Amino acid sequence: MKVDILSDLHLDFYFKPHLTTSENIISFFESIFTNRGTQKIGDVLIVAGDIGHNNKQNIEVLKILQKKFYKHIICVLGNHDYYLIGSEAKYAFKNNSFLRIEDMQKRINQEENLHCLDGTVVTIDGVQFGGANSWYDGSYVKKYFPSLDNSDINLLWRENINDSNLIKGISWFDEIHTLEMKKLENIYKNCDVMITHVNPSFDEKHIDKKYHNSPINTFFTFDGSKFYKNGFIKYWVFGHTHDSIEYTMEDVNFLCNPLGYPYESNYGEGIIMKSFEI
Ligand SMILES: [Fe+2]
């Protein structure tokens, strides 16, 4: 099967609610999925997190994309999918980001041929796709800035990363990491394809050069070595960084293909779809 990959859709930056119509969604994404009409669309689409800030809009768009283009769409959620922005969202989810995540996962998983992985595996035509939202940890800082301790990292997080303000229900940068690693632990031996939102390598070789030598990288990476070294994973798809990244390590192919914000993607025109055959 041919698997297309994309992450970081940030849908609410592209479509105002009243313009979230089938026509607009299809014409925008058809151009991306076909690389401007030059290639065939795959069988399965992976969306590696950061779908958008509005659960209702997210599910509307995913349903339209699956019905029109793909046999299956497989997602995990990203840090932005935890965000509670505005009083309406805070009220609806009782100021608890985890309720927003649960709601989004439920909306996706109740649809036929849409899958939201949360420490779970879905098998499609014999291929096992596993995934979880995942989260960042302090590994990058421990390697490249060993004089900083966990309190320093938390201070950096509070001062530089919106997650610390817009995710309600956490007070420590790697609180969600602890929860998410248990989920990866449960599935990594049963995946041909692993999907996480965050880059599982904190080595600078696997981080875009323009970010090198900054402790902030720790909020974009985690140590996934246990999983890619000891599992049977052939492809690991991630997002979170808005740079297109590819690398190979321990016989695993790592791929990241973000749509990103409109100013980064030139409203989708600058995106080259990535795919693999499995
Ligand atoms: Fe993103």
Side-chain angles (χ1 to χ4, degrees):
M1 76 174 75
K2 185 175 179 227
V3 181
D4 290 349
I5 69 164
L6 203 58
S7 67
D8 300 84
L9 306 186
H10 295 288
L11 292 172
D12 49 312
F13 284 78
Y14 288 88
F15 303 101
K16 292 206 162 74
H18 69 285
L19 294 173
T20 311
T21 62
S22 292
E23 209 183 6
N24 287 346
I25 301 296
I26 288 169
S27 81
F28 178 77
F29 280 102
E30 188 160 39
S31 164
I32 293 173
F33 294 155
T34 62
N35 276 330
R36 266 82 34 208
T38 62
Q39 74 179 41
K40 220 177 134 233
I41 295 175
D43 304 296
V44 170
L45 173 69
I46 290 176
V47 178
D50 279 4
I51 301 173
H53 291 142
N54 182 327
N55 286 6
K56 272 190 195 157
Q57 181 184 49
N58 292 350
I59 192 64
E60 268 176 54
V61 173
L62 290 171
K63 278 163 71 176
I64 293 165
L65 296 181
Q66 189 276 317
K67 285 203 175 77
K68 176 71 184 171
F69 299 115
Y70 290 97
K71 289 181 189 150
H72 295 269
I73 297 182
I74 307 172
C75 310
V76 297
L77 303 182
N79 55 318
H80 280 257
D81 302 314
Y82 289 78
Y83 283 15
L84 296 181
I85 298 175
S87 48
E88 208 180 306
K90 284 180 199 152
Y91 179 77
F93 298 111
K94 302 185 174 117
N95 214 28
N96 180 348
S97 285
F98 293 91
L99 294 181
R100 193 187 152 211
I101 284 285
E102 266 176 41
D103 175 70
M104 193 67 249
Q105 288 166 336
K106 206 164 134 194
R107 284 174 189 261
I108 295 173
N109 284 327
Q110 73 190 13
E111 298 297 326
E112 214 182 334
N113 304 327
L114 286 183
H115 315 272
C116 191
L117 302 178
D118 181 30
T120 49
V121 176
V122 61
T123 304
I124 297 170
D125 294 342
V127 179
Q128 293 180 298
F129 296 85
N133 305 350
S134 75
W135 205 252
Y136 40 79
D137 65 13
S139 299
Y140 175 89
V141 159
K142 285 188 181 104
K143 178 171 178 184
Y144 294 96
F145 296 88
S147 63
L148 301 180
D149 66 16
N150 267 8
S151 308
D152 298 323
I153 302 176
N154 217 46
L155 193 61
L156 275 173
W157 180 66
R158 290 203 164 281
E159 287 176 349
N160 295 281
I161 303 295
N162 285 335
D163 298 5
S164 62
N165 294 317
L166 298 176
I167 300 178
K168 305 297 178 190
I170 55 169
S171 55
W172 202 254
F173 74 100
D174 62 354
E175 225 171 297
I176 300 177
H177 175 262
T178 313
L179 305 172
E180 292 296 312
M181 289 310 102
K182 285 183 196 141
K183 296 177 189 174
L184 295 181
E185 184 77 43
N186 287 338
I187 58 168
Y188 77 100
K189 289 198 169 153
N190 300 312
C191 305
D192 301 299
V193 179
M194 177 66 99
I195 307 161
T196 57
H197 183 54
V198 179
N199 187 346
S201 170
F202 59 92
D203 194 308
E204 280 202 335
K205 284 200 299 274
H206 306 135
I207 297 170
D208 195 274
K209 272 198 185 114
K210 65 178 174 284
Y211 300 120
H212 284 191
N213 205 31
S214 162
I216 300 301
N217 283 315
T218 216
F219 308 119
F220 289 83
T221 55
F222 74 100
D223 180 4
S225 58
K226 178 183 176 183
F227 310 123
Y228 58 71
K229 282 183 180 166
N230 302 307
F232 306 96
I233 299 161
K234 298 178 186 78
Y235 292 91
W236 189 315
V237 180
F238 63 94
H240 194 37
T241 177
H242 287 186
D243 294 295
S244 174
I245 296 176
E246 274 183 51
Y247 58 91
T248 304
M249 199 172 32
E250 306 279 341
D251 292 328
V252 181
N253 298 298
F254 296 81
L255 299 161
C256 170
N257 194 33
L259 176 60
Y261 297 119
Y263 74 90
E264 295 170 315
S265 73
N266 190 19
Y267 270 90
E269 291 288 309
I271 298 303
I272 298 169
M273 205 59 195
K274 284 185 189 175
S275 311
F276 60 84
E277 284 283 347
I278 188 162

